[in-house]
């Protein structure tokens, strides 16, 4: 089954907006897109989830186009503590096969 | 506060040893997962379980087995450890749907296994 694709790394400065995109061509039609954040020596933790259009919570926004073949995590005004690895999680489907698939992760480094 | 615990943070074993990694969750979740995490490859699903005594293979089950005798506990077993199984192993739990990205997964801190 096709996999998801994320940039390996991104650098940003404090106070900037950061956008991380995940491509997922064969996403299951009736499933959500979820993003996780992982700090060193910890397991990933849930950030945000959406099905289509735009979702916003207290830490991030998630933009999903109509074809749902990609999604963009937006972190407004990042701080040093946002330095982490960010993963998208989707269900990839092909015929009757369904595969819960994490992206390979994007290392975000926020610089002072 | 939700909690997923793993039996060890660091483990060093020798090639050919049988290795047990234990995971316990206190949230009464139906689903439990074992992943391995390697640089550049993200998290890859080894096995998951959606009920006691039920298990299904993930993307990379070869060389691993699992056991779920109680709802709160999910064990990963390496029958004969090999050096290519050196990795970070993460356990997670979720409720209630099977294999849905919809369900929030709660992760343990991970076990870094080194096989010499």
């Amino acid at each position: 089954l096709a996999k998801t694709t994320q940039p390996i790394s991104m650098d940003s400065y404090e106070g900037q907006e950061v956008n991380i995109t995940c491509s997922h061509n064969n996403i299951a039609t009736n499933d959500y897109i979820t993003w996780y954040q992982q700090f060193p020596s910890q397991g990933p933790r849930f950030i945000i989830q959406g099905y289509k259009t735009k979702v916003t919570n207290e830490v991030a926004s998630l933009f999903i186009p109509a074809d749902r073949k990609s999604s963009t995590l937006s972190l407004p005004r990042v701080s040093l503590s946002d330095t982490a690895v960010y993963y998208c999680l989707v269900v990839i489907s092909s015929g009757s096969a369904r595969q819960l698939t994490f992206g390979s992760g994007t290392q975000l480094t926020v610089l002072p | 506060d939700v909690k997923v615990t793993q039996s060890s943070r660091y483990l060093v074993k020798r090639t050919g040893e049988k290795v047990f990694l234990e995971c316990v969750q206190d949230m009464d979740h139906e689903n439990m997962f074992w992943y391995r995490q390697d640089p550049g490859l993200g998290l890859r699903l080894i096995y998951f379980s959606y009920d006691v005594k039920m298990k299904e293979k993930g993307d990379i089950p070869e060389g691993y087995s699992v056991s779920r005798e109680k709802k709160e506990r999910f064990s990963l077993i390496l029958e004969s450890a090999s050096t290519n199984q050196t990795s970070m192993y993460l356990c997670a739990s979720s409720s209630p749907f099977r294999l849905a990205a919809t369900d929030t997964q709660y992760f343990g801190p991970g076990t870094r296994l080194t096989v010499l």
Side-chain angles (χ1 to χ4, degrees), chain A residues 17-86:
Chain A
E17 179 185 73
V18 170
N19 296 308
I20 305 173
T21 297
C22 176
S23 299
H24 29 75
N25 288 331
N26 296 337
I27 188 172
T29 56
N30 57 353
D31 215 335
Y32 280 63
I33 298 161
T34 309
W35 283 79
Y36 288 79
Q37 176 190 54
Q38 185 179 24
F39 296 113
S41 302
Q42 296 183 21
R45 66 176 189 178
F46 173 91
I47 304 176
I48 196 167
Q49 180 181 83
Y51 183 76
K52 61 181 179 180
T53 63
K54 178 183 175 182
V55 176
T56 297
N57 63 19
E58 63 276 8
V59 298
S61 294
L62 181 59
F63 298 91
I64 304 168
D67 65 7
R68 295 184 6 105
K69 292 186 183 298
S70 67
S71 59
T72 299
L73 173 71
S74 181
L75 304 173
R77 297 179 298 281
V78 293
S79 64
L80 297 177
S81 62
D82 292 317
T83 292
V85 180
Y86 293 83

Side-chain angles (χ1 to χ4, degrees), chain B residues 7-22:
Chain B
S7 51
S8 305
R9 292 300 301 270
Y10 300 94
L11 208 53
V12 179
K13 295 292 182 181
R14 296 209 174 272
T15 301
E17 282 192 79
K18 190 169 186 176
V19 182
F20 293 87
L21 302 182
E22 302 282 334

Side-chain angles (χ1 to χ4, degrees), chain A residues 3 30-34 36 38 41-46 49 87 89-91 98-105, chain B residues 9-10 33 35 37 40-45 59 88 90 98-110:
Chain A
K3 300 298 183 183
N30 57 353
D31 215 335
Y32 280 63
I33 298 161
T34 309
Y36 288 79
Q38 185 179 24
S41 302
Q42 296 183 21
R45 66 176 189 178
F46 173 91
Q49 180 181 83
Y87 293 95
L89 172 63
V90 299
V91 174
R98 286 167 55 86
Q99 186 175 36
L100 192 66
T101 302
F102 275 92
S104 55
Chain B
R9 292 300 301 270
Y10 300 94
F33 306 81
Y35 295 89
Q37 183 175 38
L41 298 177
L43 285 82
R44 293 180 292 166
L45 182 62
D59 303 332
M88 171 69 81
L90 288 160
R98 291 169 54 179
L99 252 195
T102 302
D103 316 317
T104 299
Q105 294 192 34
Y106 296 88
F107 285 83

Side-chain angles (χ1 to χ4, degrees), chain A residues 38 44 87 102-103, chain B residues 6 21 33-47 59-64 76 78 82-92 107 110-113 115:
Chain A
Q38 185 179 24
Y87 293 95
F102 275 92
Chain B
Q6 296 183 226
L21 302 182
F33 306 81
W34 275 107
Y35 295 89
R36 65 176 282 175
Q37 183 175 38
D38 300 288
L41 298 177
L43 285 82
R44 293 180 292 166
L45 182 62
I46 304 172
Y47 270 96
D59 303 332
I60 50 166
E62 296 79 19
Y64 303 94
L76 180 69
L78 287 67
S82 63
T83 55
N84 62 13
Q85 292 178 310
T86 291
S87 186
M88 171 69 81
Y89 290 88
L90 288 160
C91 174
F107 285 83
T111 296
R112 183 162 296 283
L113 172 67
V115 182

